[in-house]
């Protein structure tokens, strides 16, 4: 009886932390009662997303982000919505491969409280970094909604257990790319859309830094000619990060230019094929924490 009561209390606390996700995305979900087919999906993607997706057929679309914002996972979810109109999608999340099942089980579910509770227990670890945030919970809710409306979405965690150590990080980055390539082989014809820290999305080697050797990032190990990599741009705000005084919402500087808007290809930065400008950013706390 005591164990049942403890489980009930734990379940209710998790669901209370997740309640905002259901509300935040109900407005984005379409009413399918009078619509049929994926062309009827209602998306709120960045300006230019539809054009980029329709005019380019590369397999791997890599979206480099800064962890800890509300806006990056939200914008990524709407780009997936737009991409799903064109065909099957594999969604790569920068977490270990052993969490793939928890993600996929939720996306395939009916989105019920029990399904969400199992996702919270199986995926979120409460740590102070952006991949265990409320924004990522909201992203999974959005994926479940899209799947329920007919989108062909497969989830994959792709980080490696390989220890970087004091040597080059290149073997670790190569392992990340290998997981994505195996996912592509298992899902022929699907596009692979990946949300990852923008360092991994670079198409040029990362330079030596002090005693730390340089390395070739993940995107460089994917098949040549099959990759489009986008660096994040934003107009400043806050992100949930850890600094000398602890973890919480910390200011981030403007990383965009006045004429930039939305998703676009550009040759202004040889390290990436383009940018995705998500506008002002706000910190997203870890699930279970509130500021």
């Amino acid at each position: 009886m005591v164990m049942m009561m403890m489980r009930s209390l734990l379940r209710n606390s998790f669901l209370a932390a997740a309640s905002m996700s259901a509300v935040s995305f109900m407005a984005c979900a379409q009413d399918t009662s009078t619509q049929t087919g994926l062309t009827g999906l209602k998306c709120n993607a960045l300006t230019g997303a539809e054009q980029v997706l329709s005019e380019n057929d590369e397999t791997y679309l890599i979206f480099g982000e800064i962890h800890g914002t509300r806006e990056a996972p939200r914008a990524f979810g709407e780009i997936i919505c737009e991409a799903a109109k064109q065909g099957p999608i594999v969604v790569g999340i920068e977490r270990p491969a052993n969490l793939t099942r928890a993600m996929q089980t939720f996306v395939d579910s009916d989105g019920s409280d029990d399904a969400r509770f199992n996702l919270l227990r199986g995926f979120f670890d409460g740590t102070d970094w952006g991949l265990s945030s409320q924004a990522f919970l909201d992203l999974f809710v959005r994926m479940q909604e899209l799947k329920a409306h007919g989108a062909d979405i497969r989830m994959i965690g792709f980080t490696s257990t390989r220890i970087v150590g004091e040597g080059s990080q290149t073997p670790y980055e190569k392992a990340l790319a290998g997981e994505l390539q195996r996912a592509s082989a298992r899902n022929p014809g699907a596009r692979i859309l990946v949300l990852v820290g923008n360092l991994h999305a670079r198409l040029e080697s990362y330079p030596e830094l002090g005693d730390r050797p340089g390395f070739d990032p993940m995107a460089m190990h994917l098949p040549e000619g099959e990759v489009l990599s986008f660096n994040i741009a934003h107009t400043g705000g806050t992100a949930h990060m850890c600094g000398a005084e602890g973890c919480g919402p910390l200011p981030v500087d403007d990383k965009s230019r006045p004429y930039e808007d939305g998703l676009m290809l550009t040759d202004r930065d040889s390290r990436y094929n383009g940018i995705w400008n998500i506008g002002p950013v706000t910190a997203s706390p870890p699930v279970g924490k509130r500021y």
Side-chain angles (χ1 to χ4, degrees):
M1 178 64 72
V2 172
M3 290 299 295
M4 291 178 64
M5 291 177 65
M6 290 179 64
R7 175 180 169 82
S8 178
L9 287 171
L10 177 63
R11 180 177 181 276
N12 289 337
S13 65
F14 272 134
L15 292 177
S19 62
M20 289 180 62
S21 61
V23 174
S24 64
F25 279 109
M26 283 300 293
C28 296
Q30 68 159 17
D31 178 1
T32 56
S33 61
T34 59
Q35 298 183 24
T36 58
L38 292 181
T39 56
L41 284 178
K42 182 179 179 182
C43 308
N44 189 27
L46 294 173
T47 301
E50 182 179 5
Q51 180 178 358
V52 169
L53 291 167
S54 62
E55 294 182 357
N56 300 275
D57 61 359
E58 285 80 0
T59 299
Y60 302 91
L61 276 69
I62 314 299
F63 293 85
E65 70 151 341
I66 55 169
H67 300 314
T69 74
R70 300 179 190 276
E71 290 74 18
R74 181 184 301 157
F76 181 65
E78 295 308 310
I79 292 171
I80 291 170
C81 177
E82 198 65 54
K85 296 178 181 179
Q86 301 178 17
I89 303 295
V90 174
V91 178
I93 300 296
E94 192 184 350
R95 292 299 302 274
N98 63 5
L99 297 181
T100 295
R101 170 179 263 181
M103 293 188 287
Q104 190 66 52
T105 297
F106 177 75
V107 171
D108 290 342
S109 76
D110 60 0
S112 66
D113 284 351
D114 283 340
R116 193 169 303 165
F117 178 65
N118 289 331
L119 173 68
L120 287 163
R121 293 188 65 195
F123 180 89
F124 294 90
D125 57 15
T127 51
D128 281 292
W129 70 320
L131 298 177
S132 192
S133 68
Q134 177 71 43
F136 265 80
L137 175 57
D138 291 345
L139 173 62
F140 293 137
V141 170
R142 184 60 168 144
M143 296 301 95
Q144 186 277 326
E145 291 174 349
L146 294 174
K147 185 71 181 292
H149 294 148
D152 186 347
I153 295 176
R154 306 298 301 173
M155 305 295 295
I156 175 178
F158 61 92
T159 59
S160 171
T161 57
R162 180 188 296 270
I163 298 174
V164 175
E166 296 181 357
S168 172
Q169 192 170 317
T170 294
Y172 176 81
E173 300 291 322
K174 190 177 292 186
L176 302 186
E179 288 290 340
L180 296 178
Q181 289 178 269
R182 284 186 283 276
S184 181
R186 292 193 301 269
N187 297 273
R191 280 183 130 168
I192 317 296
L193 272 68
V194 180
L195 185 62
V196 68
N198 61 350
L199 184 150
H200 304 293
R202 286 171 56 115
L203 295 169
E204 289 184 359
S205 297
Y206 195 78
E208 181 179 319
L209 187 63
D211 294 333
R212 189 81 181 195
F215 63 91
D216 295 338
M218 177 195 79
M220 294 182 65
H221 302 288
L222 294 170
E224 186 175 355
E226 294 185 32
V227 180
L228 285 180
S229 180
F230 299 90
N231 191 20
I232 196 166
H234 57 80
T235 56
T238 59
H240 184 95
M241 298 184 293
C242 294
E245 297 182 359
C247 301
L250 297 176
V252 290
D253 294 333
D254 186 325
K255 296 293 183 184
S256 66
R257 296 184 179 182
Y259 56 81
E260 294 173 338
D261 184 26
L263 179 67
M264 70 187 74
L265 297 173
T266 173
D267 59 2
R268 89 162 207 218
D269 186 346
S270 62
R271 298 172 301 174
Y272 304 92
N273 299 116
I275 63 166
W276 58 314
N277 187 348
I278 61 174
V281 294
T282 52
S284 182
V287 168
K289 294 189 177 183
R290 290 294 179 269
Y291 300 135

